[in-house]
Amino acid sequence: MNVLIFNGAIDDRPYATSNQLAAYLAEQLQEKGFSPEIFSLGSTQIPFFSQQEAGQKPPAVDAMCQAFCRADLHIWMTPLYHGSMTGAMKNCLDWLEMTSKNQRPYLTGKVVALLSWADGTQAMQGINAMDAVAKALRAWVLPFSLPIIKDNLYDPQTRAFTAFYKNKLDTMVQLLCAAKSHVVAGIEG
């Protein structure tokens, strides 16, 4: 089963928090027999969404819509930007309007896990913003989200993820994998 890891950060450096999280999640999913695909905004050319331009879907937007529709399970992740997800992430999600005429419009029936990180304790605001958009796009949000305090994410000696956050990330992956049977039942039912 395909899993989309939507990296809402625009930082494409390999050691950036977003890319380390995406790589860790992809590795955990692969070990469980899933086919993860990382969609990173830092390496795409998604233009600003415009209703006037909506009839002419740019190739990058078409590829993005296909990736979102192909995956039944999603993990969305964003750094907290001024109390919300990144603007680039929201813009990307707005382009899913192009799927409104599909047999299964938007993200109907897909399961989305959410995680956000911040320097302080406000990462839940990013999760709340993504939660509202996921539900507006007709997705089911996994009832386990992960707000991350960035200062506590890394072990000071090794710079690897702390055991505390590895456990949380692993729990998210386990719950998302368990949700696959519900997704398959929904597709067939």
Side-chain angles (χ1 to χ4, degrees):
M1 183 172 282
N2 293 329
V3 181
L4 180 74
I5 300 170
F6 180 25
N7 180 354
I10 56 171
D11 190 346
D12 59 0
R13 298 170 298 161
Y15 57 86
T17 296
S18 59
N19 293 319
Q20 289 186 52
L21 285 166
Y24 181 83
L25 291 165
E27 179 182 303
Q28 297 308 306
L29 289 161
Q30 283 175 334
E31 286 178 7
K32 294 188 179 345
F34 289 82
S35 300
E37 175 182 355
I38 299 172
F39 184 84
S40 292
L41 286 175
S43 61
T44 62
Q45 299 294 320
I46 305 295
F48 287 120
F49 177 73
S50 166
Q51 287 288 1
Q52 289 86 0
E53 311 254 341
Q56 308 142 355
K57 197 179 337 177
V61 169
D62 188 47
M64 184 262 322
C65 287
Q66 288 180 30
F68 275 72
C69 291
R70 186 171 47 246
D72 289 306
L73 304 173
H74 291 214
I75 299 174
W76 294 1
M77 44 188 266
T78 184
L80 185 69
Y81 273 36
H82 303 129
S84 189
M85 68 184 91
T86 65
M89 182 178 200
K90 176 62 169 73
N91 178 67
C92 186
L93 292 167
D94 287 343
W95 274 107
L96 288 173
E97 184 62 28
M98 301 297 91
T99 67
S100 66
K101 304 286 189 237
N102 289 4
Q103 182 178 356
R104 287 179 65 201
Y106 307 112
L107 301 178
T108 301
K110 298 181 185 301
V111 179
V112 180
L114 306 172
L115 70 97
S116 180
W117 60 96
D119 287 330
T121 59
Q122 301 301 314
M124 196 64 198
Q125 292 178 358
I127 289 169
N128 290 338
M130 291 185 291
D131 179 78
V133 174
K135 288 175 179 171
L137 291 170
R138 304 178 186 177
W140 294 96
V141 177
L142 190 72
F144 179 88
S145 56
L146 184 51
I148 297 172
I149 300 172
K150 191 174 170 188
D151 286 344
N152 298 341
L153 178 60
Y154 298 103
D155 180 286
Q157 278 79 38
T158 65
R159 293 303 299 154
F161 295 148
T162 60
F164 175 81
Y165 277 115
K166 274 188 178 181
N167 183 46
K168 298 278 188 189
L169 291 162
D170 293 347
T171 298
M172 176 177 276
V173 168
Q174 289 169 350
L175 291 171
L176 190 63
C177 292
K180 80 173 182 172
S181 60
H182 300 292
V183 170
V184 172
I187 292 169
E188 294 172 352

